[in-house]
Amino acid sequence: ARDHIRSMERDQLVSGSLSPVPTGGRPGINYRLTQQGHALFPKNYDGIARLLLATLVSRLGQAEAQKELEALGRQLAAQVKPRVGSGSLKDKAAKIAAIMEEFGFSASASGDTIEAQNSIYHELAQADPTVCTIDLALIGELSDAKVDHKACMARGDSSCRFCLKK
């Protein structure tokens, strides 16, 4: 097993870190897949999502499809909104960023701004940025604020940045 782990570490497929839990003997090591490791597992989420979005636009038209994506964002928000609660926009931004992390984003908050270093549907947004409507509706609904989409990877920026406004 150690030889396999060493070769996976060498190929940057897994990374190890010392376990924070005492083992009573040798230090324990927790291993997790790296992004390269995850990429080895076949996924066709993007292909299926593209087909779903294209079908939605084809059947409803662009404007109605965008309304449906907004509704989807609000539905996602309804599932987790109690966890955000009330408070300042700074407090809400931090809680929303944590929720986005759970959804698969690499997100952080600074003041009233949320920044995501990745998108859970990056390739889909590259093909049709309308899908960003989901994020805008989700963040707006959770924050009870207006969301200013300052930066977007689908528009060529290095991250997605959302500024919350009263």
Side-chain angles (χ1 to χ4, degrees):
R2 285 190 182 127
D3 288 341
H4 288 292
I5 288 175
R6 279 190 205 111
S7 79
M8 288 187 291
E9 282 181 309
R10 181 195 66 231
D11 296 340
Q12 298 180 345
L13 301 175
V14 298
S15 64
S17 61
L18 289 176
S19 174
V21 179
T23 62
R26 290 183 181 180
I29 299 177
N30 292 332
Y31 292 95
R32 41 181 7 171
L33 286 173
T34 63
Q35 282 190 317
Q36 286 177 267
H38 279 288
L40 290 177
F41 293 96
K43 300 172 189 80
N44 193 26
Y45 304 139
D46 183 57
I48 293 169
R50 281 181 194 231
L51 182 59
L52 284 169
L53 184 58
T55 301
L56 193 63
V57 170
S58 170
R59 290 189 179 172
L60 302 176
Q62 188 70 34
E64 287 301 313
Q66 188 165 352
K67 287 180 185 176
E68 289 301 317
L69 294 174
E70 282 180 36
L72 177 60
R74 287 192 303 273
Q75 287 174 346
L76 284 170
Q79 295 174 9
V80 294
K81 188 159 184 169
R83 293 173 44 199
V84 175
S86 60
S88 69
L89 289 182
K90 179 181 177 181
D91 293 339
K92 288 181 179 184
K95 291 176 184 175
I96 294 168
I99 290 168
M100 290 175 71
E101 283 272 333
E102 292 172 20
F103 285 166
F105 291 89
S106 177
S108 61
S110 176
D112 61 0
T113 300
I114 299 166
E115 186 162 5
Q117 299 299 324
N118 72 324
S119 171
I120 57 175
Y121 30 70
H122 180 72
E123 290 82 10
L124 183 59
Q126 294 292 313
D128 187 348
T130 306
V131 78
C132 298
T133 302
I134 298 170
D135 296 339
L136 295 169
L138 171 72
I139 294 168
E141 190 71 21
L142 289 176
S143 65
D144 295 316
K146 181 179 181 271
V147 180
D148 190 3
H149 199 183
K150 293 281 191 183
C152 181
M153 288 183 286
R155 297 188 308 241
D157 296 312
S158 61
S159 65
C160 292
R161 198 167 44 258
F162 310 94
C163 187
L164 307 180
K165 305 283 183 190
K166 285 202 180 257

